[in-house]
Amino acid sequence: MFPTPDTSHLSLPEFKYNVYDPAEDTFLLLDTLESDLEYLNSIYPTICLEIGSGSGCVSSFLGSLLGGSTCLYLCTDINAKAAMATLETGNRNMIPLNPIMCDFSSALRLKNKIDVLIFNPPYVVTPSEEIGSYLIEAAWAGGVHGREVIDRFLPLVEDLLSKHGVFYLVVIEENRPDEIIKFFEKINFKCEKTTKSAGNEKLSTLKFFRR
Ligand SMILES: C[S@@+](CC[C@H](N)C(=O)[O-])C[C@H]1O[C@@H](n2cnc3c(N)ncnc32)[C@H](O)[C@@H]1O
């Protein structure tokens, strides 16, 4: 129903090879958000935060679902080119995105303020040494079990989310999603899982919210 945002500028030299092109994981997230539109409207979101926004495709799409003027759309990325691409994608799709270059949400003071939190993380299983780049490798290098970046972020989620806040996380089976779900159950969050096969990958979005 809602069109995929225009990201045709990703073929420009400054973005090509430097910014993650929307792929199956991105599109699974778009589908999940669209199916959840009624739920999302029911929590009356005012501040949305996407960690690792890359092209900005997901936040632009969220903006088209919820309305460009009803929410503040914050986006972070450690890759400077990704932050620039996010701004451009927002402009092209007439969604006011606010990209910030930082590690997760480290530049922001948003305790219990985020209504919709999204992270399509670098989840690919790689040697730990591949982690730490500020360039395109940061889009996929996930270290042991593809969990090293994810595990650094998980303890921040409870503090970021507002009372009715919701967190969407993309994972693959190698990331051991059941362990992630248990982590959130221990802090009293519920989980809903949406799974899809894409080539060799079994991709899921995990949706977490307080009980
Ligand atoms: C798999 S890509 C997802 C891009 C986009 N959100 C999408 O769904 O198409 C992961 C993104 O996370 C960013 N990233 C990796 N580690 C990060 C960190 N510690 N803080 C912020 N962004 C990070 C990468 O630079 C990359 O843009």
Side-chain angles (χ1 to χ4, degrees):
M1 289 289 287
F2 287 81
T4 303
D6 173 13
T7 55
S8 51
H9 49 287
L10 294 182
S11 60
L12 296 173
E14 62 263 46
F15 300 133
K16 207 174 176 180
Y17 311 123
N18 295 317
V19 178
Y20 188 76
D21 248 321
E24 287 298 332
D25 46 2
T26 318
F27 300 129
L28 175 64
L29 207 35
L30 302 194
D31 289 346
T32 305
L33 293 170
E34 186 166 0
S35 322
D36 255 8
L37 182 53
E38 206 178 324
Y39 169 84
L40 288 168
N41 280 327
S42 77
I43 62 170
Y44 297 101
T46 54
I47 308 185
C48 305
L49 170 62
E50 184 185 5
I51 306 293
S53 57
S55 64
C57 179
V58 176
S59 284
S60 286
F61 187 77
L62 183 67
S64 66
L65 290 179
L66 300 178
S69 56
T70 52
C71 292
L72 172 65
Y73 297 98
L74 298 171
C75 305
T76 69
D77 208 293
I78 43 163
N79 175 344
K81 295 275 163 76
M84 286 161 60
T86 292
L87 186 64
E88 182 60 24
T89 301
N91 289 341
R92 285 192 182 221
N93 294 280
M94 299 205 290
I95 302 296
L97 302 184
N98 297 275
I100 298 150
M101 193 194 152
C102 67
D103 180 28
F104 299 145
S105 55
S106 61
L108 304 165
R109 301 286 175 269
L110 289 166
K111 190 171 163 59
N112 301 133
K113 293 284 188 288
I114 304 302
D115 301 308
V116 183
L117 178 64
I118 300 174
F119 193 16
N120 177 9
Y123 55 66
V124 178
V125 178
T126 64
S128 298
E129 303 76 64
E130 287 184 23
I131 295 180
S133 164
Y134 288 71
L135 306 173
I136 187 67
E137 301 76 33
W140 62 77
V144 178
H145 306 307
R147 279 279 295 274
E148 293 190 41
V149 179
I150 294 173
D151 283 350
R152 215 161 50 76
F153 183 64
L154 296 186
L156 308 179
V157 172
E158 189 182 12
D159 231 33
L160 282 169
L161 286 183
S162 63
K163 193 171 161 205
H164 300 290
V166 59
F167 172 44
Y168 295 92
L169 176 71
V170 177
V171 292
I172 53 173
E173 281 308 290
E174 290 84 341
N175 300 150
R176 306 178 174 192
D178 289 349
E179 285 179 13
I180 299 176
I181 294 169
K182 277 202 186 104
F183 170 90
F184 279 99
E185 280 174 351
K186 276 192 189 144
I187 54 171
N188 248 345
F189 278 68
K190 274 175 86 167
C191 176
E192 286 172 13
K193 188 176 176 186
T194 312
T195 301
K196 171 177 154 184
S197 289
N200 293 335
E201 276 177 345
K202 198 166 157 203
L203 284 165
S204 302
T205 38
L206 305 180
K207 169 186 171 186
F208 296 102
F209 48 97
R210 289 191 171 85
R211 282 181 199 280

